[in-house]
Amino acid sequence: MWDDGWDRVTKLQARYLAGDHDAAMVAASEVQRLPATLQPFVEEPEYHFYAALARAARCDSIPANELLQQLEALTVHHDQLRVCADLCPENFAGHTALVGAEIARIEGRADDAAMLYEQAIRSAQESGFAHVEALVSELASRFYAARGLGSIARMYMQKARDGYLRWGANAKVRQLEEQYPYLRTDEAAPGSTNAMSAAIEPPELATVIKALQAVSSEIRLEMLIEMIMRTAIEQAGAERGLLILSDGRTHRLAAEATTAGDAVRLQLSDAPVNATMLPESILYHVLRTGETTILDDASAEPMSNTDPYVGEHRARSILCLPLRNGAKLMGALYLENNRIARGFSPGRIAVLKIMASQAAVSLENARLYRDVAESEAKMRRLVDANIIGFNVWDADGNILEANDVFLRMVGYGRDDLVAGRVRCLDLTAPEKHDDAIRARIELAETGRTKPFEMEYVRKDGGRVPVIVGFAASDANGRKGVAFVLDLTEQKQAEKKVRESEERYREVQAELAHANRVATMGQLAASIAHELSQPIASTVISAEAALRWLDREPADVDEASRALDSIVGGANRAADVLGRIRQLVTKAPRRKEPVAINEVIREIADLVQGEARKSGAQLEMQLAEGLPFVEGDRVELQQVLLNLIINALEALNDIDRVRRVCISTTETEGACVLVTVRDSGPGFGPNGTEHAFTAFYTTKATGLGMGLSICRSIIDAHGGRLWATDSSPRGAVVQFTVPQRPAVSSREAQSTDATDAD
Ligand code: ADP
C-alpha cells in the first residue's frame, strides 16, 4: 500500500519538474483520492509541496474568477506544510517558505514574495536540499523575469541550473539549457540594457526589501508619491527626480524631488510635462517602449545638441524607468545627477527597477483607493445628510445597518435594528413580493437594480409608498445596500391633482348641463309651438276617425288611415320630447359610436320652430357614408344646438337673406369636420377668440358661456373647435371629432343637400 502512494507522489514530482503542470495536477488528484496510503512526514509533505507548486503554476493561465478557489486550495497545502515545518523545520522550512512565496506572488505581494524566496533558498541550503534550492531559484528567476528584471532572473536561473546539476537531474538541466540558451554560453540574456549587460553584483537583499517595503507600505496617494520619490532619490543617489504619471494620453508631472545637502526637498504638482522639466525625447522613448533608459553622460551624447533640456542643464547621468503594472504603463520615474558621469551603478539600477515595478502596483492601488474613498465619502455624505433612506442587508434578508431616514420611514427604532428585528421580507408588502423577486434576479445578474416603486409595511402595520434601488456588494447579489426614497408626499400630491381634475370635470359637466337646460328653456316656446302642430293634427285626425266610424256603415279603412296618422304624429311628438328629456337629464359622460349626421338631423328638428320664427332657412349638406365618431351623443347634440342657436340669433338684425348651413365632411387625420355657417354679421372687430372667453357676450340676455362650453366638450372628445369670419360676411364655426378607432363601419345614410324647412 505504501508503495502505491509513493509511486503516485513520484509521478506528480516528475510531471511537475518536466513542466507539464496539467499532468501534474492530474497526478495530484490521483494521490488525493487515496490520502490514507501516504506516509506521514515523508510522502505526505512531498505531495502537498508538488501539488501546491503545480497549482501555483497553473494560476498564471486561469481566468480571474477561478483564482480565489485556487488560492484557497493553495492555502490548504501551505497549512499542511506549515504543520510539518513546525515539527521539523530543518526538513520542511524551505518547502513551506517556497509555497508561501508562490502564494505571495500570485496575490501581488511582491516584497513578501521576494523575502520568502530568499528565505526558502537559505533554508534549503542549510538543510542541504540541492533540489529544493534549485526549485526555489527557478521560481524566483521566473518571478524576477516577469517583473522585467532580466539580470536578476538570469542570476537565479544560473543558480537553479547548478542546483539541478548537483542533484543529478540531468534531464532538467538540459531542459533549462534549451529554454535559456544563456545558461550554456556567454551570450547576453535577452532584454538587458547596455548598462546592465556588464556583470553586476546582485543587489543586497536587505536593500531590495527596504525599498520594496517603503513603496508598498502607503496607500494614501500623496504620501505614497512622497515615499516613492524619497526612496528613489536615496537609492539612486540622484540630485533630482521627477515622477510622471500618465493616463495613456496625457503625461503630467506629479512630483519633483531635489537634494540640498542631506535633505530631500519634495514638491507635489499636477502640471503637464514640458521640455523645461526634463529631456522629453528620453521620457517619450521610455513611455513608448516601456524600457529603462540609462545615459552615462548625456552631455557627451549627440542628443545634447538637439534636446534643449540636456544642452541647457548640462545633464550628465540620467536614468528613466517605466512604471508598469502588468501591461499597463502608469508613467515614469526620471532621475538625474548632473555632477558626475556614470552616477548610477548597475546594483542601484537593479534595486530601482524592482522598486519601480512595485511602485507602479502601489500607485495603481492608491489611485483606486482614492477613487473608492472619494465615492465612499460622497455616499456617506448622502447617507448622513438623511435626505435619502439607506440600509445594508445581508444574505438572509436581515437589515444590518440603516440611517435615521430609513428607520423613520418604516417606523422601526435603532433598538429593533440592533436586535435583528428589521427584515426585508417583513417590510415588503405581500402584493409586491413578485417585484422583490424580480429585483433579486436582476441583482444576481447585473449587481444592481433600476429604481422601482414598492410599498413597505411599517412596524405599526401602516403602508409607505417608496422608490427603491439595490446594489450588490458580493458577486451573487446576496448582500448589498439599498437606497430608498419616501413617495408619500408625492403620492398625496398626485391624489390631490387627480381629485381636483375630477372635481374640475364635475363642475364642467354641471355647467354644460346648466347651459343645456338654459338653452332648452330658451327654445321652450318654439318647441311648444312645434309640438302643438302634431297635437292639433292628432285631434283633427281623431275627430275624422270618429266621423268615419259614425257612418252607416262605418268606413273602417278611412278610420284606420286616420288612426295611423294619429300614431305617426304621436310618435313624432314623443321623439321630440325624448330628445328634450335627454338634453335636460343629467347623466355621466359616455363613450359610444355616434353617427354625427343623425345628431345634426335630430337637432335640426328641434330648432326648426326657432328658425322659422326668425325667418331663417336651415340647410344641411351632410356627406355620405361618414365614419362613426366616438363620444357622448348628448354632448355633441348640445354643441350643435349652441352653434345653431348662436347662428340664428346672429341673423336677427339683418335685412338680407337669413341662412344657416350645416355641413359635414371627412378630413385627413381620421376626423369628421362639422361646419355651421351663417349669413349674419360675423364676429366683428373684437375677433373670434374673444367669443370663447367665458362670460363674454354681446347679447342682452346672454350668459357668454356657450362657446367656451362647446370648446371644452370638443376638447374632451379629442377634437378642435374654432371660429372664423366668412367672406364677404357671416360667421363660420367649425369643429372636428376623431372617428371611432379601428372600426370600419360607416354611417348608412344618403347625401343630404336638402332644405330642412
Ligand atoms: P352667448 O351666446 O350667451 O353670448 P356664447 O359663448 O355662445 O355666449 O357667445 C359669445 C359671443 O360670441 C356672443 O355674445 C356673440 O357676440 C359671439 N357669437 C357667437 N356666435 C356667433 C355668430 N354665429 N355670429 C356672430 N357672433 C357670434
Side-chain angles (χ1 to χ4, degrees), residues 402-623:
N403 66 351
D404 292 343
V405 173
F406 179 77
L407 290 174
R408 259 201 311 277
M409 230 183 267
V410 291
Y412 282 91
R414 203 150 279 288
D415 44 340
D416 292 315
L417 191 72
V418 175
R421 286 194 292 265
V422 193
R423 294 176 46 79
C424 297
L425 196 69
D426 302 337
L427 287 176
T428 310
E431 68 275 12
K432 296 286 180 184
H433 278 181
D434 283 354
D435 292 347
I437 290 169
R438 263 194 295 279
R440 216 173 300 156
I441 295 168
E442 194 182 341
L443 254 179
E445 283 171 357
T446 65
R448 64 176 67 178
T449 67
K450 284 189 224 48
F452 61 100
E453 284 195 21
M454 263 287 239
E455 198 153 77
Y456 276 161
V457 180
R458 290 167 50 86
K459 188 182 181 187
D460 59 14
R463 296 290 184 98
V464 52
V466 294
I467 191 158
V468 58
F470 293 100
S473 61
D474 76 343
N476 306 318
R478 287 171 54 75
K479 285 190 247 173
V481 294
F483 295 92
V484 191
L485 210 67
D486 189 342
L487 293 184
T488 308
E489 274 180 25
Q490 193 184 325
K491 292 277 171 200
Q492 276 166 355
E494 278 172 13
K495 195 168 158 232
K496 266 192 198 145
V497 169
R498 265 199 315 278
E499 281 170 358
S500 61
E501 275 173 2
E502 228 155 78
R503 186 69 201 121
Y504 174 72
R505 271 195 296 275
E506 277 169 23
V507 170
Q508 215 179 22
E510 280 185 18
L511 256 176
H513 177 250
N515 170 268
R516 283 202 303 268
V517 174
T519 315
M520 294 314 294
Q522 207 176 326
L523 289 179
S526 62
I527 291 175
H529 176 72
E530 281 300 290
L531 283 176
S532 66
Q533 279 182 344
I535 291 167
S537 76
T538 307
V539 172
I540 292 165
S541 297
E543 284 167 359
L546 283 174
R547 273 198 307 276
W548 291 119
L549 291 174
D550 273 350
R551 284 200 177 184
E552 270 314 320
D555 190 336
V556 176
D557 284 347
E558 284 299 334
S560 146
R561 255 193 297 281
L563 286 172
D564 277 347
S565 129
I566 293 173
V567 172
N571 278 345
R572 265 198 309 283
D575 267 2
V576 173
L577 288 172
R579 266 169 238 152
I580 294 167
R581 193 181 306 117
Q582 267 187 1
L583 281 162
V584 293
T585 308
K586 206 155 118 189
R589 176 176 289 164
R590 294 173 57 167
K591 219 173 172 188
E592 58 197 347
V594 179
I596 200 81
N597 286 348
E598 221 173 84
V599 169
I600 293 170
R601 282 198 203 91
E602 286 167 0
I603 293 303
D605 266 0
L606 273 187
V607 294
Q608 209 53 255
E610 193 70 11
R612 208 175 295 116
K613 222 171 71 186
S614 31
Q617 235 173 31
L618 205 56
E619 275 175 28
M620 282 185 282
Q621 292 174 358
L622 307 181

Side-chain angles (χ1 to χ4, degrees), residues 181-261:
Y182 61 80
L183 292 175
R184 277 179 286 165
T185 64
D186 285 340
E187 85 189 59
S192 63
T193 61
N194 291 340
M196 293 293 283
S197 60
I200 59 159
E201 282 291 305
E204 262 294 298
L205 182 69
T207 316
V208 175
I209 290 173
K210 190 174 154 227
L212 282 175
Q213 274 172 345
V215 296
S216 56
S217 58
E218 191 50 65
I219 193 75
R220 289 161 298 174
L221 189 59
E222 290 190 353
M223 305 296 273
L224 176 68
I225 289 175
E226 183 170 348
M227 193 61 93
I228 291 172
M229 294 310 287
R230 287 189 190 284
T231 312
I233 290 272
E234 275 165 22
Q235 288 298 330
E239 271 187 309
R240 179 167 173 267
L242 304 180
L243 178 69
I244 287 96
L245 293 181
S246 164
D247 62 7
R249 280 176 299 117
T250 52
H251 316 294
R252 302 182 75 82
L253 176 69
E256 175 173 5
T258 42
T259 49

Side-chain angles (χ1 to χ4, degrees), residues 622-703:
L622 307 181
E624 196 180 358
L626 279 184
F628 283 96
V629 297
E630 189 169 64
D632 185 293
R633 190 184 184 88
V634 173
E635 284 190 345
L636 291 173
Q637 283 176 337
Q638 175 174 2
V639 172
L640 276 155
L641 191 62
N642 272 132
L643 300 186
I644 297 170
I645 298 281
N646 271 351
L648 291 174
E649 284 176 345
L651 300 175
N652 277 343
D653 303 327
I654 61 161
D655 302 331
R656 42 179 196 278
V657 181
R658 298 176 179 181
R659 208 170 56 205
V660 176
C661 178
I662 308 148
S663 59
T664 53
T665 179
E666 194 174 343
T667 64
E668 277 178 21
C671 282
V672 169
L673 172 74
V674 179
T675 306
V676 178
R677 183 187 298 270
D678 64 60
S679 58
F683 286 89
N686 280 341
T688 52
E689 277 311 299
H690 245 75
F692 289 93
T693 312
F695 305 115
Y696 171 84
T697 180
T698 53
K699 301 168 195 168
T701 55
L703 278 176

